[in-house]
Each structure stands twice: as C-alpha cells, then as structure tokens.
Amino acid sequence: MDTKQPETTTQELQSALHESRNNVEQEPTQRRESVLESNGYHILETIGKGAFSIVKKAFSKAHNRVVAIKTVSKQKATTDVLNKFLPREIDLVKGLKHTNLIRFYECIETTLRFYIIMQYAENGSLLQLIRKEKILPEAQAKHFFNQLINAVEYIHSMGVVHRDIKCENIVFDENFTLKLIDFGFARGNMQPVIDGGKIKPVLSKTFCGSHAYASPEILKSIPYQPQLSDIWATGVVLYTMVIGRLPFSNEENVSALIKQVFAGPKFPKDRCISDECKDIIIRILRPAHLRISISDMRRLPWFNEDDSGYDDSGNEKSLEKKMRLDESVNDRTGTGFGTTDMNNNIGTSPVSTSASVYNRKKAVPDE
C-alpha cells in the first residue's frame, strides 16, 4: 500500500493554495463609477482652477451636450463659503433664468464635495477676448455692454445683487451671446423697502469683489447700496473693453486707489472713442449719489445710435464669420493666457483683476 509522506502532502497543499491565489489575482476587478459618472457625466478636461474649487468640461448624457462642472471641496473651502456664500449661490441661480445669465442645470452634494453643473461657455471669457484683441471696436463693446446691463437689470428686478462683476465673470456661448457667471458673492432679497412712506434701499456690509472693479463706497468700507456698486462695475468693464486696460489699478495701496477712483477715469489720447461713449463711462464712474441708473443709461444718445456694422452677436457683418479665441499657448500679447489662468492682468495694468476686497479685510456678515 502506497502512502504519501506528510512532507509531500504539505507541499501539494501549499501549491494548490498558491494556484488559487493566482487565479483570484488574475480575475479582472471592476472599477466603481464616480458620482459624476453614475449621474451621466463624462469628464473631458480641466478648464479652470480656484483656491478651493476646480472647473471641468464634461459631456452630459441627459442634456446631450457639453457642460461645465464646478467642484468645490468641503475640506478646502472656508467656513463662510460652505455655510453662507455657496448655499446662497446655489439657491439664487436656481431661480434666475435670462438670456444673458449662464444656465444652471443641477447641484450634486456628497460628503466631501459640491458639484455645480452649468452651461458651458464655448467662446471663453471677456477677459480672454480683450487680451487677444487688445481693444474692442466701440460698436461691438456697446453690443456686449447692452447685454451685460440687460443681465444686471434683470437680477436687480429679482432682488438679487451680483457684487463681483468683472471681465473674468463674463463669458460667451457658442453664438457669442454674453453670459454673466459666478454668483459666489451674490445676495438675494435686496429689493428696496418702504419705510415711513419712503423707498429705502437695503444696504450691504459685506465688502467683497475685486479691487479694480470696486466702487468707492466699497473701498472706503462703508455700508453701500449694492445695486449701485454693480452698476459701477459695469462701467469698469465698458472702459476696459474700449480702452484695453483697467481704469483704476493700484492694488497694493488702497489709499492711492481711492484717490484714482475719486479723480475719475482718464482717457488716453491714442484711443479713439466717441464723446458719447466717454460720457456714459463718466456718468457711471462717479460717486454713488451721482451715479447713473440703467434706465437713464438707455436714454442717452450712445444707446440710440444705429451701429449697423455688427450683427446680433456683436460680430462684424462685413467679415461674415464668428470671432474665435486663439487656442494656442501664446496669443498676440505674448503672455500665453490660458483658461486656467485666473489671475492675469489686462493690458499694462499692474492690478490683478482677481484681487479680492473680501480677502483684504474679513467680511462683515450682512444684516
């Protein structure tokens, strides 16, 4: 009778166990879908970055189109952002619908992140366009400015103030229709109230936004009427479009910046713009009690002139083609401005257009 030695039996068992482990390792492991993938979003590429957020381009199966997804990290974002600004932004954009506002699709929240899904702006930002073209033709600037104040007038009528209007926050869709984006510092329920039979504006005490676009009342840190500060910022945008640089640009020294602001905008002699255009800029960039309203802007001659050289998208009819941003690394400015660079300056201005007043001093919560 042939009996196996104990040593041989042990070797066979070890060999069988080893083979079993190999078979398990060779079985393909199925990758778990990400939250976005399980909701029908296919991530394409990164198109922007912030201190605690990242914006990616993605394809949405549900909408059958490319969208933009802003991902906000709960671990990196500040308490103010998570508890006040972000919830407020999401709540506001859900209720706003206008041709000149970026479209909001949905928000997905997980234990670690917020995913805000929005319309994708195929033609980039106004900042990129100005850096590429240096200066926009006045008729084209008027067309874009008209779309901008349409958006601002609409949100104000809804009781919403933006408080961070700037060239980075103005983008263009596939048809080159202007869209106002980023309601991170926005606030609702800001309609004027009736007090003692008089209309009384609701003042804001949160000093947010960017230095270069901040109204004098914000720079002086006094309670301000945010609708008027939004209008001020539109004036800075208009000036930047037709002149090619920011009107006020001393970020390092706030006192010097305030002096520039109160001195008013300067118009370089090498820029050929109409007196009517200069007039509207001057009427906007003045102290709050003298600042022009949007309804009064529309009555000015500059808005009533017929500029037939541009179509509904602000493009030159004679060229019969759409403007497309140069996607090469280096544009004509030689600075290589890309979509992920959010802190570049316009023209020769030394101010960072993303320098935030909110970062300069801790914001006082609005009452």
Side-chain angles (χ1 to χ4, degrees):
M1 185 173 178
D2 186 18
T3 56
K4 290 186 178 180
Q5 297 296 320
E7 187 175 322
T8 304
T9 303
T10 302
Q11 289 175 347
E12 289 176 351
L13 287 171
Q14 288 177 340
S15 177
L17 287 170
H18 180 70
E19 184 178 349
S20 176
R21 282 196 299 267
N22 285 342
N23 289 337
V24 171
E25 290 173 358
Q26 289 171 3
E27 290 180 4
T29 55
Q30 187 174 2
R31 185 180 69 85
R32 290 181 61 185
E33 282 189 322
S34 69
V35 171
L36 291 174
E37 287 173 334
S38 64
N39 281 272
Y41 296 104
H42 174 64
I43 303 301
L44 299 174
E45 61 189 83
T46 298
I47 56 176
K49 291 181 179 179
F52 44 79
S53 64
I54 186 168
V55 182
K56 290 182 179 288
K57 182 179 174 182
F59 181 79
S60 168
K61 292 179 182 178
H63 298 96
N64 193 30
R65 64 179 301 163
V66 174
V67 298
I69 301 179
K70 179 181 178 181
T71 303
V72 179
S73 168
K74 291 183 178 180
Q75 295 172 312
K76 295 180 181 179
T78 64
T79 302
D80 268 348
V81 168
L82 290 177
N83 296 337
K84 184 171 70 170
F85 290 111
L86 186 59
R88 183 187 288 172
E89 176 183 6
I90 295 168
D91 185 57
L92 289 176
V93 296
K94 285 180 180 178
L96 297 174
K97 290 180 174 62
H98 189 274
T99 304
N100 299 119
L101 297 181
I102 208 73
R103 191 181 311 154
F104 169 84
Y105 291 124
E106 67 172 320
C107 177
I108 301 170
E109 182 180 3
T110 68
T111 54
L112 296 177
R113 299 175 185 86
F114 282 97
Y115 299 99
I116 304 173
I117 294 89
M118 303 164 288
Q119 177 184 2
Y120 174 62
E122 290 86 348
N123 278 304
S125 72
L126 178 60
L127 177 62
Q128 290 174 282
L129 181 61
I130 295 173
R131 289 184 63 82
K132 177 179 180 290
E133 301 295 333
K134 302 290 183 73
I135 302 168
L136 301 190
E138 186 176 321
Q140 187 182 49
K142 181 195 297 188
H143 177 82
F144 290 150
F145 182 72
N146 189 43
Q147 291 185 325
L148 174 60
I149 64 170
N150 283 344
V152 174
E153 188 173 45
Y154 166 75
I155 64 172
H156 287 179
S157 73
M158 299 293 287
V160 175
V161 290
H162 191 280
R163 303 196 297 188
D164 197 20
I165 295 171
K166 55 186 177 183
C167 291
E168 296 97 314
N169 287 341
I170 297 168
V171 297
F172 302 101
D173 69 6
E174 58 187 348
N175 298 315
F176 247 97
T177 300
L178 179 146
K179 306 284 183 179
L180 181 62
I181 65 170
D182 199 345
F183 282 71
F185 283 132
R187 187 185 172 195
N189 300 315
M190 294 298 288
Q191 297 97 330
V193 297
I194 305 297
D195 184 15
K198 295 182 179 180
I199 298 176
K200 184 178 180 181
V202 178
L203 300 182
S204 181
K205 298 175 184 177
T206 299
F207 306 103
C208 51
S210 301
H211 280 101
Y213 295 82
S215 63
E217 53 270 28
I218 290 178
L219 292 173
K220 293 178 72 177
S221 299
I222 59 177
Y224 62 97
Q225 188 176 344
Q227 291 89 343
L228 294 179
S229 291
D230 278 352
I231 291 173
W232 172 281
T234 67
V236 175
V237 170
L238 175 57
Y239 180 99
T240 306
M241 285 194 287
V242 296
I243 301 299
R245 61 175 175 79
L246 294 162
F248 314 112
S249 57
N250 196 327
E251 179 192 346
E252 300 301 323
N253 188 326
V254 176
S255 297
L257 179 58
I258 291 173
K259 288 181 180 178
Q260 285 184 33
V261 164
F262 276 97
K266 309 296 181 186
F267 297 95
K269 294 180 179 179
D270 62 340
R271 298 290 188 266
C272 184
I273 62 172
S274 69
D275 289 339
E276 290 80 8
C277 183
K278 291 179 183 177
D279 178 60
I280 194 168
I281 291 172
I282 292 170
R283 287 172 184 261
I284 296 172
L285 301 181
R286 55 174 48 169
H289 69 285
L290 298 173
R291 200 167 303 153
I292 192 170
S293 66
I294 291 177
S295 58
D296 287 340
M297 282 185 211
R298 298 190 189 280
R299 299 189 184 99
L300 296 177
W302 191 66
F303 268 104
N304 297 313
E305 293 173 351
D306 179 22
D307 297 305
S308 58
Y310 288 82
D311 63 19
D312 290 339
S313 296
N315 301 319
E316 289 185 88
K317 290 180 179 178
S318 59
L319 295 178
E320 295 182 350
K321 65 179 182 179
K322 293 179 181 178
M323 298 174 298
R324 296 293 174 186
L325 295 176
D326 186 358
E327 295 180 353
S328 62
V329 176
N330 295 313
D331 61 19
R332 282 187 288 179
T333 62
T335 58
F337 183 86
T339 55
T340 57
D341 188 346
M342 295 185 171
N343 294 307
N344 266 312
N345 307 327
I346 296 175
T348 57
S349 168
V351 68
S352 169
T353 59
S354 291
S356 175
V357 176
Y358 180 75
N359 292 330
R360 176 170 60 87
K361 68 172 284 185
K362 187 175 181 181
V364 179
D366 288 322
E367 296 177 349

